[in-house]
Amino acid sequence: MVGAGPAGLIASQYLVRAGYKVSIIEEHKSIGRPVSCSGLIGRDFFDHFKQFDFEDSIKNRIDGAKIFLGTDSFELKRKGVSFVVDRAIFDQSLSNGLEVSLDEKFQAFERKNETIFVKTNKRRFNTDLLIGADGPSSRVRAQEFEFNLKHYKGYQVRIKSDLDLDNFVEVHIQRPFFTWIIPEGNGIFRIGTVSNNPKETLGRFLEEREIKSEPIEIQAGVIPVGKGNIYSDKVFLLGDAACQVKPLSGGGVYYGALAAEALANSIISGRYSDYPLQCNKLLGKEISRGLIFRRTYENMTDNEIYKVFNFLKSKKQVLDDSGKFDEHSRTILSLIKDHRSISFLPLIFKAYLRTL
Ligand SMILES: Cc1cc2nc3c(=O)[nH]c(=O)nc-3n(C[C@H](O)[C@H](O)[C@H](O)COP(=O)(O)OP(=O)(O)OC[C@H]3O[C@@H](n4cnc5c(N)ncnc54)[C@H](O)[C@@H]3O)c2cc1C
């Protein structure tokens, strides 16, 4: 297993519990650090992965979102829709009982007959199966896999402030993604954005909001958005390495964890090629449609974005009742299917056509 992030650790937990010997190599000196994540994880994740203990990592409960376009806004409410975690503690709790070789960097692999030879900065060893759970800039992926993907740059600060958000996150629509404010608790906020120059974009945002305090911590990372092959002759890609992220928000912990479970099951059953099939069943539609919605979103004019925002605002009740934190495209489709949305469809279609 290359990479001791949540995806690699969850797959390893299942495999070790089933009696497999898993060698996990991690390039950093400690698990979960440096953090490059906002740590906002939907309730469905915690309901699904009940067998792991995340209690120590949970910092705050989120009860909804305030969505902004400029100064205009509307509020969506759902008690306990998601939780804010300390990603370092979260990852460390997933490593309980596992042996991880730290400070060891995967460099390359080679196949000879039935065996896979792995080269790291410290040694060479052989293995029957290789899993690349080595994050957004996966070396395992780069060596052999065909992928159509784009990397988006994210930048976030943790800051002490007297912002009055209670348990709500703020989402400021700002393409290609959005700018977020997440209350971590104890007067600390995680404020971040994604853009070509996210540090500069965030600086401007903080200035406009007159948020002046010095950051307690700065976190940066990339989000891989795209699609490709995730299995080839006993070598698997998992998590961010496999672009198992929500294309609209970039959140990847839940999708990577679902894929980790599917991967462990396919290895335990001995049917390795089930893995891509299962992932397609679990995540395929959300990711494919999410990619279309992302391209459409990026190609909209400001005026179209304004109309979409007002449309969403008018559908606040539908979003409150049936919006899904981890299934964006299903949420969008249920909005579009509403007969009152017919007049709105040509706008989306026009923006979509511009992406072709
Ligand atoms: C700014 C930002 C904010 C985000 N916010 C959220 C959020 O709020 N919620 C959410 O769900 N997702 C969020 N994400 C995405 C989330 O962080 C990832 O989807 C998630 O961490 C993927 O888990 P993973 O295990 O696949 O990969 P990672 O967590 O990236 O783990 C991969 C591991 O592999 C190791 N590694 C890499 N290369 C090598 C190598 N050559 N040899 C050995 N080890 C190696 C790395 O050190 C790392 O520990 C965010 C991402 C960014 C950039």
Side-chain angles (χ1 to χ4, degrees):
M1 175 74 66
V2 187
L9 291 170
I10 290 174
S12 301
Q13 287 285 2
Y14 287 123
L15 290 169
V16 166
R17 287 173 197 189
Y20 285 76
K21 185 176 178 310
V22 184
S23 303
I24 309 170
I25 58 173
E26 165 56 50
E27 68 175 340
H28 287 112
K29 289 193 170 79
S30 65
I31 291 172
R33 294 211 174 273
V35 171
S36 48
C37 180
S38 309
L40 190 66
I41 300 176
R43 175 179 280 281
D44 285 353
F45 171 89
F46 297 97
D47 289 346
H48 190 104
F49 294 96
K50 275 201 184 93
Q51 70 267 52
F52 302 109
D53 181 5
F54 296 110
E55 207 169 309
D56 290 347
S57 69
I58 295 178
K59 309 283 279 182
N60 204 0
R61 189 195 70 211
I62 297 301
D63 293 335
K66 294 179 189 181
I67 317 288
F68 284 79
L69 182 65
T71 50
D72 198 359
S73 70
F74 63 96
E75 216 172 86
L76 299 173
K77 281 190 193 140
R78 189 151 344 127
K79 197 166 175 189
V81 61
S82 58
F83 294 87
V84 184
V85 303
D86 178 318
R87 259 297 299 269
I89 300 176
F90 179 88
D91 289 19
Q92 281 152 20
S93 64
L94 282 169
S95 71
N96 282 340
L98 297 175
E99 262 179 55
V100 180
S101 171
L102 296 169
D103 201 15
E104 179 165 10
K105 190 176 171 104
F106 165 88
Q107 290 177 329
F109 70 89
E110 198 185 338
R111 289 191 182 84
K112 272 190 196 145
N113 305 323
E114 287 295 290
T115 305
I116 298 166
F117 291 85
V118 174
K119 182 173 173 265
T120 75
N121 59 335
K122 290 189 171 166
R123 59 183 167 141
R124 284 167 197 271
F125 63 90
N126 56 1
T127 178
D128 299 328
L129 304 173
L130 176 68
I131 301 171
D134 48 344
S137 308
S138 168
R139 273 204 179 204
V140 178
R141 180 181 70 218
Q143 190 177 323
E144 183 167 292
F145 291 81
E146 290 275 319
F147 256 77
N148 183 6
L149 71 91
K150 188 170 167 187
H151 280 124
Y152 291 86
K153 288 188 249 175
Y155 184 87
Q156 172 176 269
V157 292
R158 283 179 68 232
I159 232 167
K160 199 133 188 110
S161 167
D162 55 6
L163 286 166
D164 183 18
L165 280 187
D166 297 326
N167 289 60
F168 277 66
V169 298
E170 276 191 15
V171 175
H172 294 257
I173 294 174
Q174 198 164 30
R175 283 172 289 166
F177 277 67
F178 45 84
T179 296
W180 60 87
I181 305 183
I182 299 172
E184 180 185 300
N186 296 324
I188 298 174
F189 296 85
R190 299 176 185 176
I191 311 183
T193 197
V194 173
S195 79
N196 283 337
N197 188 344
K199 189 177 173 189
E200 193 184 288
T201 310
L202 191 67
R204 250 184 284 121
F205 177 81
L206 294 173
E207 219 173 278
E208 278 161 25
R209 288 287 301 251
E210 297 186 353
I211 300 171
K212 290 194 179 111
S213 44
E214 280 300 307
I216 305 167
E217 195 178 343
I218 292 175
Q219 298 161 343
V222 291
I223 297 173
V225 177
K227 255 167 92 167
N229 293 330
I230 58 172
Y231 173 63
S232 163
D233 192 14
K234 296 185 182 170
V235 181
F236 307 83
L237 294 180
L238 175 66
D240 269 21
C243 288
Q244 286 155 346
V245 304
K246 293 180 268 184
L248 283 176
S249 71
V253 172
Y254 184 40
Y255 282 14
L258 288 174
E261 190 180 23
L263 173 55
N265 286 338
S266 80
I267 290 176
I268 292 163
S269 71
R271 293 190 301 270
Y272 304 149
S273 50
D274 271 5
Y275 171 57
L277 300 177
Q278 281 308 315
C279 284
N280 202 31
K281 225 177 188 173
L282 287 166
L283 311 171
K285 265 190 196 154
E286 270 301 318
I287 292 180
S288 304
R289 290 173 184 165
L291 290 171
I292 294 174
F293 288 129
R294 158 147 299 289
R295 283 210 310 272
T296 307
Y297 173 58
E298 287 184 25
N299 278 281
M300 279 177 170
T301 62
D302 288 349
N303 189 36
E304 284 165 345
I305 289 283
Y306 171 77
K307 286 183 178 157
V308 170
F309 177 80
N310 282 321
F311 170 70
L312 293 175
K313 200 170 163 183
S314 72
K315 296 281 176 195
K316 186 182 132 32
Q317 197 55 50
V318 183
L319 287 168
D320 268 345
D321 296 341
S322 55
K324 297 252 180 242
F325 185 86
D326 285 303
E327 291 172 307
H328 299 151
S329 77
R330 213 170 114 192
T331 306
I332 294 172
L333 286 177
S334 69
L335 286 174
I336 293 175
K337 273 182 197 153
D338 185 312
H339 67 279
R340 284 161 297 182
S341 314
I342 295 262
S343 61
F344 188 71
L345 284 180
L347 182 153
I348 301 209
F349 192 59
K350 224 166 93 188
Y352 170 66
L353 284 180
R354 249 181 268 127
T355 74
L356 298 176

